[in-house]
Amino acid sequence: MRTDSCEIKVRGMLCRSCTDEIAGLLLRTKGVVKASVSYRKAMAQIDYDPALTSPDALEKRIKSLGYETGERNLAERWLDFGCLGLAVLLAWLLFLFGGASPEIGSGSFSALFLVGLTTSPHCLGMCGGIMLSACSGREGRKAQLGSALGYNGGRTLSYTLLGAAFGALGTVLSYTLSVKSMLFTMLGLAVLLLGLNMWGLLPALPALPDTQGSACRLPEKIKRQGPLFVGLLTGLMPCGALYAAWLCAMSSGNAGKGALLMLSFALGTAPLMLLFASLGALMPRSWTKYLRKLGAVLVTAMGVKMLIAGLLLLRG
């Protein structure tokens, strides 16, 4: 089989999820052997069988998702600069109103609530589809909202129990100020990388799990257990912000305080999840990428704040 290669400039991408969406569609196209999409370069690189498809046909496939082809215009370039400026401004506001390093380092409940609130768009991208799938089949807005409350209740319970476990684990560990500084600096770096990866600015990192796209394939055996049970299970999903909260709970050195810290984090993530459960069915699909872009900005800002906060712990 002979293969040709082509590069197609793509306009309208806002974050990493856009590149994954386009690449997934191309790879499902008959005749495409390999496809990769870069947000930073605004480009799709495709290896294809010329007997089965062509660059013009591939452009039409990309346009079918609502994207345009051709050089990125000036407005799209300025959008990224504006979002980066917004991330810096938000990081400064988080310092101004959310406190600096001693607050997080000492295990502040308000700080963990703030972390949960600002990283909740990421939670929505990871778990939003699973929540809607777990709540499907309920007739009426009240029934759907009740199911969403059950799902988030299970997730909150799972977070709280894990917080107690990590807090208990922290009783056998000792933390000097320098160790705390190192931990929270690393956590801030992890959250920052998570935000930049969501944005699409770190193409070398693997894509995040597409749980929103695969939620419809949630096993029926699990769905039949009810939203509360599904919420308990998704409390164990891999997540950089969640790992950061676990270490905050562990650094408290107390099971009860660790549980309350994780409860604060869970409550911070809940408002956006419940709003999505109420309005998700009414939200146009085209809005999803804007929500994810906002999530990338918020997570990036929180990562910058946590990274600098960890370094500032050394000031005592």
Side-chain angles (χ1 to χ4, degrees), residues 92-99 103 114:
W92 177 74
L93 290 175
L94 288 170
F95 267 106
L96 190 63
F97 296 105
E103 206 175 322
L114 189 61

Side-chain angles (χ1 to χ4, degrees), residues 5-274:
S5 300
C6 68
E7 294 182 345
I8 300 175
K9 289 284 188 178
V10 183
R11 292 169 45 206
M13 294 189 294
L14 294 179
C15 60
R16 178 64 177 263
S17 65
C18 296
T19 67
D20 295 341
E21 182 181 37
I22 296 170
L25 179 70
L26 291 173
L27 290 170
R28 293 191 300 271
T29 302
K30 187 176 181 180
V32 172
V33 178
K34 182 180 178 182
S36 62
V37 184
S38 169
Y39 171 80
R40 186 170 52 84
K41 297 178 181 179
M43 179 185 297
Q45 296 179 302
I46 310 163
D47 294 342
Y48 64 96
D49 182 349
L52 298 175
T53 189
S54 67
D56 288 341
L58 295 172
E59 282 195 31
K60 289 180 180 179
R61 289 285 281 170
I62 293 172
K63 289 180 178 180
S64 71
L65 290 175
Y67 300 96
E68 295 296 328
T69 56
E71 292 290 337
R72 182 182 288 181
N73 59 36
L74 187 61
E76 290 173 315
R77 296 181 187 277
W78 276 108
L79 176 64
D80 265 339
F81 285 112
C83 287
L84 284 172
L86 178 60
V88 173
L89 175 62
L90 288 172
W92 177 74
L93 290 175
L94 288 170
F95 267 106
L96 190 63
F97 296 105
S101 57
E103 206 175 322
I104 294 180
S106 61
S108 165
F109 302 121
S110 61
L112 262 293
F113 179 84
L114 189 61
V115 171
L117 194 63
T118 53
T119 59
S120 58
H122 169 64
C123 296
L124 187 61
M126 292 285 287
C127 306
I130 291 178
M131 177 179 63
L132 292 182
S133 179
C135 300
S136 63
R138 277 72 178 178
E139 296 184 1
R141 183 57 59 86
K142 288 184 178 180
Q144 291 179 358
L145 184 57
S147 297
L149 286 169
Y151 171 85
N152 282 281
R155 192 169 59 90
T156 299
L157 178 59
S158 178
Y159 284 11
T160 304
L161 292 175
L162 285 168
F166 278 100
L169 179 62
T171 61
V172 299
L173 301 175
S174 60
Y175 294 91
T176 63
L177 197 59
S178 60
V179 170
K180 278 190 175 184
S181 174
M182 180 187 69
L183 280 176
F184 287 101
T185 301
M186 291 174 63
L187 291 174
L189 180 60
V191 174
L192 175 60
L193 291 176
L194 174 67
L196 294 176
N197 190 35
M198 290 173 62
W199 202 316
L201 300 179
L202 298 176
L205 291 183
L208 296 171
D210 185 14
T211 54
Q212 201 153 13
S214 62
C216 58
R217 298 190 293 273
L218 194 65
E220 287 297 326
K221 287 184 178 180
I222 294 179
K223 288 178 65 175
R224 282 198 295 267
Q225 303 303 314
L228 178 65
F229 181 76
V230 177
L232 282 168
L233 291 182
T234 53
L236 300 171
M237 286 186 65
C239 168
L242 184 58
Y243 296 158
W246 285 351
L247 284 180
C248 286
M250 187 166 62
S251 68
S252 70
N254 180 280
K257 188 173 183 181
L260 291 175
L261 285 168
M262 285 303 298
L263 175 62
S264 300
F265 174 78
L267 292 177
T269 66
L272 185 60
M273 294 287 284
L274 292 173

Side-chain angles (χ1 to χ4, degrees), residues 271-292:
L272 185 60
M273 294 287 284
L274 292 173
L275 181 63
F276 180 73
S278 300
L279 304 178
L282 304 176
M283 184 182 298
R285 191 174 183 274
S286 59
W287 290 15
T288 305
K289 62 181 182 180
Y290 295 102
L291 184 62
R292 289 178 174 172

